[in-house]
Amino acid sequence: MSTSTPILPLLKDAERLASRLAEIPPEPGVYFMRDGSDRIIYIGKSRKLRSRVRSYFRDGYNKSERIATMAKQVTDIEFIVTDTEAEALALEANLIKQHQPYFNVLLKDDKKYPYVCITWSEDYPRIFITRKRQLGKEKDKFYGPYTDAGLLREILRISKRIFSLRQRPQPLFKDRPCLNYDLGRCPGVCQKLISPEEYRKTVQKVAMVFQGRSQELIDILTEQMQTAAEALNFESAARIRDQIAGLNSLTANQKVSLPDDTVSRDALALAADEQRACIQLFQIRAGQLVGSLAFIADTQAEPGAILQRVLEEHYQTADTVEIPTEILVQHELPDSEILADILTQRKGKKVTILHPQRQTKAELIEMVERNAEYELQRTQKLSDRNHQAMQDLATILDLPDLPHRIEGYDISHIQGSNAVASQVVFIDGLPGKQHYRHYKIKNPHVTAGHSDDFASLAEVIQRRFRKYGEDTQLPRVGNPDWPDLIMIDGGKGQLSSVVAVLQEMNLLEDLRVVSLAKRQEEIFLPGESQPLETDAEQPGVQLLRRLRDEAHRFAVSFHRQQRSDKLKRSRLDEIPGLGHHRQKQLLGHFRSVDYIRQATPTQLAEVAGIGPRLAQEIYDYFHPGSGS
């Protein structure tokens, strides 16, 4: 039997280290550090790869404790040469997102900070607030994340009042616009009463607000108002005057005292504890604070490296007009020259990165830092409450560790009809909505007038963990998909049905399962006839209650959706030759059964899959005795 010899770290193999460093060229590019398990543990960039990589292994070089620890684990170095520093910056950002190296600064996508999305990929772009930044379509643009969700909603509301924009996500009527069009609040997008080109011009004006260019927009509108007035078009001039007044109300009382209010600036600072760093970015344009953005880093590193990572990621997707000419930072950046050069090239004019030490600019950085400290305190309080709740729950249930992943299940139906189930997931005490799932109950015995929550829960649990029962080699404990705790909404009966199916699958020993009864918030354990002695108001029980309520909400919302879809199709089911697929096509085209009823045979035949003959049958069904 032979065993492979472990690869020594480069710091303990001087000959191999010297050989590897000699192979690295003095060109711009990206480098990878790998450990003994061949995992990428660090990714970096440099305008001169050789000198940068050498610095990690040089005695006496001023390295942070984290980077020094990383260097001791490196067993191999790889690199990719690029033509420019800009290419290296973009490549590094993409590779960090892909590999998530442990020793890099990683920014968390914190769902409590909202973004504004403008869907430029669509003919008639939509504008909406979201807490998920999904870069699925290249043309779509996200602005944020914003620290004040209430203020953001107010800005969007005022923007929709100032400019004539689509007010509804879906048309209210099939063949005419709604009241918003008559009031001048919407240009009639649903009926295409405005061309895509003209509508996009309006949306571009709103985008300027979120780009911090309100004053520029006001100047443009002022010129347009004067032109309209000179042409004696007083109605148009009055409308533009009202738009200018609305924009002025958005920027009122936001003046920042700086000696030169003609320079656009971003100011960046952070506050950190042992677990996280909260970063604030203030956007100042023409002496006015036009935006306050927030970021959270889940990896501790040198403050300058964290700020550098935030700026690189923020400006990577920013439009050229959003890049300021001056960036003020709380700490020196490790690669400020590279970033400044790249931003200068993109903007087409000089961009300066400063670390102010005194006077007004330093005071501005102090203000940003105070806001970062307040945000850190709020984050700490929330984290402490969640940690306390998980500790209490671990004590109540005698868990070996804190429950990182908790899953909750509930059933929803009306006397057995449209029975569905929900699976919700809490990660470290907070909803992890990306892991939520819906289930349609397939049990043939669960029908209208005959419900069976016990059997439905057993079915859902069996489907959820089927792959683990069929493949005993799949990792369980330690697997991110494997829950530390399962909570069933209900009492002893619901819990017993779930325990029985887990025993059949030989999974009960590896899963902790409890149920939470609604009446007195009682917790039941498998095989126990009496609930645990707990207080309904203690933190651990409250955590389970939040999980149970979320599972109930999620199940009920899905059940309502299923019931609504069934009601829409119920009348269509009675039409011969109209199967489920064609029903979906009809509803997708006409939006509702009422619109289908009003349609003529010719209009019905325009739907894909609906020929003239079937169109006539549909029309005759809704218009019996029409004489056709």
Side-chain angles (χ1 to χ4, degrees):
M1 178 178 177
S2 62
T3 58
S4 59
T5 305
I7 302 175
L8 288 175
L10 290 176
L11 279 174
K12 294 184 179 181
D13 191 339
E15 184 178 345
R16 193 161 60 90
L17 173 60
S19 174
R20 196 72 186 102
L21 292 177
E23 296 171 354
I24 301 175
E27 306 288 339
V30 175
Y31 54 91
F32 308 74
M33 305 290 196
R34 293 185 181 271
D35 66 4
S37 301
D38 202 36
R39 293 174 303 183
I40 296 176
I41 59 175
Y42 190 77
I43 297 174
K45 66 179 177 310
S46 177
R47 63 175 58 184
K48 293 183 179 179
L49 284 170
R50 178 181 295 171
S51 57
R52 171 58 61 85
V53 175
R54 283 180 182 273
S55 67
Y56 292 100
F57 305 98
R58 191 180 304 147
D59 290 336
Y61 186 75
N62 185 22
K63 298 190 288 285
S64 68
E65 182 179 347
R66 185 176 187 82
I67 294 301
T69 302
M70 181 273 295
K72 294 176 183 177
Q73 300 180 26
V74 176
T75 60
D76 197 9
I77 305 166
E78 298 176 7
F79 58 87
I80 298 175
V81 174
T82 60
D83 291 332
T84 64
E85 293 93 339
E87 291 178 2
L89 176 63
L91 178 59
E92 180 205 35
N94 291 332
L95 290 172
I96 288 174
K97 289 178 182 178
Q98 177 183 348
H99 295 286
Q100 299 282 294
Y102 177 77
F103 287 99
N104 278 96
V105 177
L106 304 177
L107 300 185
K108 291 180 65 177
D109 183 16
D110 200 301
K111 298 299 187 294
K112 69 181 178 181
Y113 295 137
Y115 294 84
V116 168
C117 178
I118 301 181
T119 58
W120 292 110
S121 59
E122 301 175 5
D123 289 341
Y124 294 93
R126 292 174 295 124
I127 307 175
F128 59 90
I129 296 174
T130 179
R131 294 181 187 270
K132 295 181 181 179
R133 184 176 182 178
Q134 300 171 329
L135 300 177
K137 296 182 179 179
E138 186 177 351
K139 292 183 179 180
D140 292 349
K141 178 65 180 173
F142 288 83
Y143 302 94
Y146 292 93
T147 56
D148 192 333
L151 177 60
L152 180 59
R153 284 192 292 270
E154 179 67 10
I155 291 174
L156 188 56
R157 186 189 67 80
I158 294 175
S159 297
K160 286 186 174 182
R161 191 190 70 199
I162 296 172
F163 301 102
S164 183
L165 294 168
R166 176 167 58 180
Q167 303 291 321
R168 302 177 57 86
Q170 297 293 342
L172 188 61
F173 304 107
K174 171 178 171 288
D175 54 358
R176 60 185 176 88
C178 65
L179 187 61
N180 285 312
Y181 176 75
D182 299 319
L183 295 175
R185 294 180 178 175
C186 174
V189 171
C190 62
Q191 304 302 319
K192 297 184 178 180
L193 300 179
I194 183 174
S195 68
E197 293 75 17
E198 286 300 314
Y199 187 72
R200 292 171 78 89
K201 290 179 182 179
T202 302
V203 176
Q204 185 59 60
K205 293 177 182 177
V206 180
M208 291 177 71
V209 175
F210 295 106
Q211 292 169 343
R213 302 165 62 198
S214 296
Q215 187 56 52
E216 182 182 342
L217 177 57
I218 289 172
D219 294 341
I220 293 172
L221 292 175
T222 301
E223 185 177 338
Q224 292 177 354
M225 179 182 66
Q226 293 171 349
T227 302
E230 290 172 359
L232 305 182
N233 190 348
F234 299 116
E235 183 178 347
S236 176
R239 184 174 65 254
I240 298 173
R241 178 203 60 202
D242 293 341
Q243 292 175 347
I244 294 172
L247 287 169
N248 282 324
S249 70
L250 282 178
T251 58
N253 302 320
Q254 293 187 23
K255 201 74 173 176
V256 177
S257 178
L258 286 172
D260 185 359
D261 62 4
T262 62
V263 177
S264 61
R265 292 182 175 90
D266 281 355
L268 189 71
L270 63 79
D273 59 16
E274 296 178 354
Q275 298 176 337
R276 69 189 67 81
C278 291
I279 305 100
Q280 295 272 307
L281 188 152
F282 278 22
Q283 299 170 307
I284 300 157
R285 305 292 183 267
Q288 292 180 328
L289 178 61
V290 299
S292 176
L293 311 182
F295 307 85
I296 290 182
D298 65 355
T299 305
Q300 267 294 43
E302 290 297 304
I306 295 175
L307 297 182
Q308 172 108 14
R309 179 82 178 109
V310 169
L311 290 175
E312 289 173 351
E313 187 161 311
H314 172 64
Y315 293 128
Q316 186 181 28
T317 57
D319 292 336
T320 303
V321 293
E322 298 173 59
I323 300 174
T325 55
E326 187 174 274
I327 302 169
L328 308 179
V329 294
Q330 177 192 21
H331 300 279
E332 291 280 4
L333 308 185
D335 289 312
S336 61
E337 291 184 7
I338 292 180
L339 182 58
D341 289 347
I342 292 170
L343 295 179
T344 296
Q345 293 172 18
R346 283 190 57 198
K347 190 172 181 64
K349 59 190 301 186
K350 180 69 173 178
V351 175
T352 306
I353 300 178
L354 300 176
H355 174 216
Q357 302 291 319
R358 61 180 67 87
Q359 297 180 343
T360 310
K361 293 180 181 179
E363 293 172 359
L364 175 59
I365 286 293
E366 290 176 2
M367 181 180 72
V368 180
E369 182 181 359
R370 284 200 307 274
N371 281 269
E373 289 171 350
Y374 292 141
E375 187 61 29
L376 178 64
Q377 292 171 10
R378 286 194 291 269
T379 304
Q380 287 172 333
K381 288 178 182 178
L382 178 62
S383 177
D384 291 344
R385 283 199 298 269
N386 287 329
H387 189 75
Q388 181 185 3
M390 289 189 294
Q391 279 186 323
D392 186 50
L393 185 59
T395 301
I396 293 171
L397 303 178
D398 194 25
L399 300 176
D401 297 299
L402 297 185
H404 168 67
R405 179 183 175 115
I406 311 175
E407 295 182 0
Y409 294 85
D410 191 18
I411 304 294
S412 182
H413 58 83
I414 295 180
Q415 296 182 342
S417 66
N418 301 115
V420 299
S422 66
Q423 169 197 320
V424 301
V425 180
F426 276 22
I427 303 294
D428 293 334
L430 296 174
K433 296 190 177 182
Q434 68 273 28
H435 303 296
Y436 286 18
R437 281 192 62 185
H438 285 133
Y439 295 86
K440 294 180 182 179
I441 301 303
K442 299 178 179 179
N443 190 327
H445 301 293
V446 178
T447 58
H450 187 275
S451 62
D452 190 338
D453 287 359
F454 299 167
S456 297
L457 281 168
E459 174 192 330
V460 170
I461 294 298
Q462 195 275 335
R463 288 163 60 184
R464 163 66 174 93
F465 295 100
R466 178 190 297 142
K467 63 181 179 181
Y468 295 100
E470 295 173 348
D471 186 353
T472 57
Q473 301 302 313
L474 278 175
R476 299 178 184 178
V477 179
N479 185 338
D481 184 52
W482 189 262
D484 300 299
L485 179 66
I486 293 175
M487 186 222 65
I488 304 300
D489 183 10
K492 291 183 291 185
Q494 285 87 347
L495 180 60
S496 297
S497 64
V498 169
V499 167
V501 74
L502 288 175
Q503 284 177 326
E504 292 176 8
M505 301 170 71
N506 295 319
L507 297 177
L508 187 60
E509 291 185 3
D510 294 328
L511 284 169
R512 296 299 302 269
V513 190
V514 301
S515 67
L516 184 65
K518 288 187 178 72
R519 183 173 299 176
Q520 295 179 343
E521 311 294 0
E522 295 174 326
I523 301 175
F524 288 91
L525 300 180
E528 300 292 335
S529 59
Q530 297 296 320
L532 293 175
E533 293 184 4
T534 57
D535 181 350
E537 299 305 317
Q538 68 184 100
V541 179
Q542 288 183 336
L543 175 58
L544 285 185
R545 186 194 305 172
R546 290 196 298 272
L547 180 70
R548 188 269 318 282
D549 292 345
E550 180 69 352
H552 180 71
R553 179 200 65 79
F554 199 52
V556 168
S557 65
F558 185 51
H559 174 253
R560 286 173 178 165
Q561 176 190 329
Q562 294 297 302
R563 194 168 75 246
S564 174
D565 290 346
K566 186 174 181 180
L567 288 172
K568 286 180 180 178
R569 296 195 302 266
S570 60
R571 296 202 65 186
L572 300 180
D573 286 334
E574 301 172 7
I575 303 175
L578 192 62
H580 180 66
H581 177 66
R582 286 173 174 170
Q583 290 179 24
K584 287 180 64 176
Q585 288 179 306
L586 276 172
L587 288 169
H589 183 84
F590 289 102
R591 302 291 182 185
S592 76
V593 175
D594 288 336
Y595 289 156
I596 296 173
R597 182 189 299 110
Q598 297 171 17
T600 65
T602 302
Q603 291 172 329
L604 290 167
E606 292 175 356
V607 180
I610 308 294
R613 182 177 175 181
L614 182 54
Q616 188 62 53
E617 290 184 10
I618 297 169
Y619 182 83
D620 292 343
Y621 172 80
F622 286 111
H623 303 84
S626 59
S628 60

